[in-house]
Amino acid sequence: GGSGKSSFAASAVATLPVGKRAFGFLTPCELASYAAVDMEYVPLVDPDWRPSIDKFGASGYRAAARALDALFKRDDIGLVVVDVASTMSDLVFQDCLALHQTDDPSTLGGNARTPYGVHNGRFLEFIRLLDALRFAKHCHVIVLWHTDVRELEGLGVPRKETEKSGSGTKTVVR
């Protein structure tokens, strides 16, 4: 987080031609980034997914899928933002597990792999439909991901390390 992904997407709305609108699939934690932006959105949330109290309601993915389907019927869409796609992936997986009333695929015995296959198909369907929408409506699509980025050698913040040198040690900055 903090690299400016949402700010970039929010600023793209200002570049839309007159008469074109933006639509977002947004996680609640990203809503503040779009507070001053004129765009419609569907929240990426499953309020009834609460496995700790045996509630396995999953409606978020299907709400997003219906909203995406409705965009094909509109002529005013110029930009679609998915912020963040990793949350969309989580919603798809929760939708797959809700049928089994569990959050743990290992409880499914011989069917433990089924939710993973269904997830893959549904998530890829969503991505393919975004791509189809892009071509059908000549709109832009921005799909943002949160990911764990690790420091690569030679990049990032310099650090001091002590290493062996001959019969002693020396401090090296990397």
Side-chain angles (χ1 to χ4, degrees):
S3 64
K5 296 180 299 292
S6 299
S7 296
F8 163 74
S11 68
V13 176
T15 68
L16 290 174
V18 173
K20 292 294 183 179
R21 307 248 325 128
F23 190 92
F25 297 91
L26 309 175
T27 61
C29 64
E30 298 296 339
L31 289 177
S33 300
Y34 299 90
V37 177
D38 181 24
M39 72 187 299
E40 300 169 58
Y41 69 92
V42 168
L44 297 179
V45 65
D46 270 336
D48 293 325
W49 182 261
R50 298 174 59 202
S52 59
I53 58 171
D54 297 323
K55 288 180 82 176
F56 301 98
S59 59
Y61 166 67
R62 290 176 190 256
R66 282 190 297 276
L68 178 56
D69 187 56
L71 293 178
F72 280 91
K73 298 173 181 84
R74 295 178 57 173
D75 292 324
D76 63 338
I77 298 300
L79 172 66
V80 176
V81 177
V82 180
D83 194 357
V84 293
S86 49
T87 299
M88 177 66 77
S89 177
D90 291 343
L91 292 178
V92 172
F93 199 63
Q94 288 166 193
D95 186 71
C96 296
L97 290 173
L99 174 66
H100 304 286
Q101 294 293 291
T102 185
D103 64 333
D104 182 1
S106 69
T107 64
L108 302 178
N111 296 323
R113 295 178 56 170
T114 301
Y116 296 99
V118 174
H119 166 271
N120 186 53
R122 289 184 185 168
F123 188 74
L124 289 176
E125 173 192 29
F126 193 86
I127 297 298
R128 281 192 304 271
L129 286 172
L130 281 172
D131 201 34
L133 180 71
R134 180 172 65 98
F135 285 106
K137 298 300 177 176
H138 306 286
C139 66
H140 298 281
V141 174
I142 299 173
V143 179
L144 303 172
W145 293 84
H146 282 171
T147 150
D148 184 19
V149 178
R150 297 210 178 353
E151 182 179 335
L152 298 174
E153 188 173 333
L155 298 175
V157 179
R159 63 187 185 277
K160 292 182 180 179
E161 294 180 357
T162 304
E163 38 177 69
K164 235 180 193 182
S165 174
S167 60
T169 60
K170 68 178 181 179
T171 302
V172 178
V173 178
R174 296 188 188 268

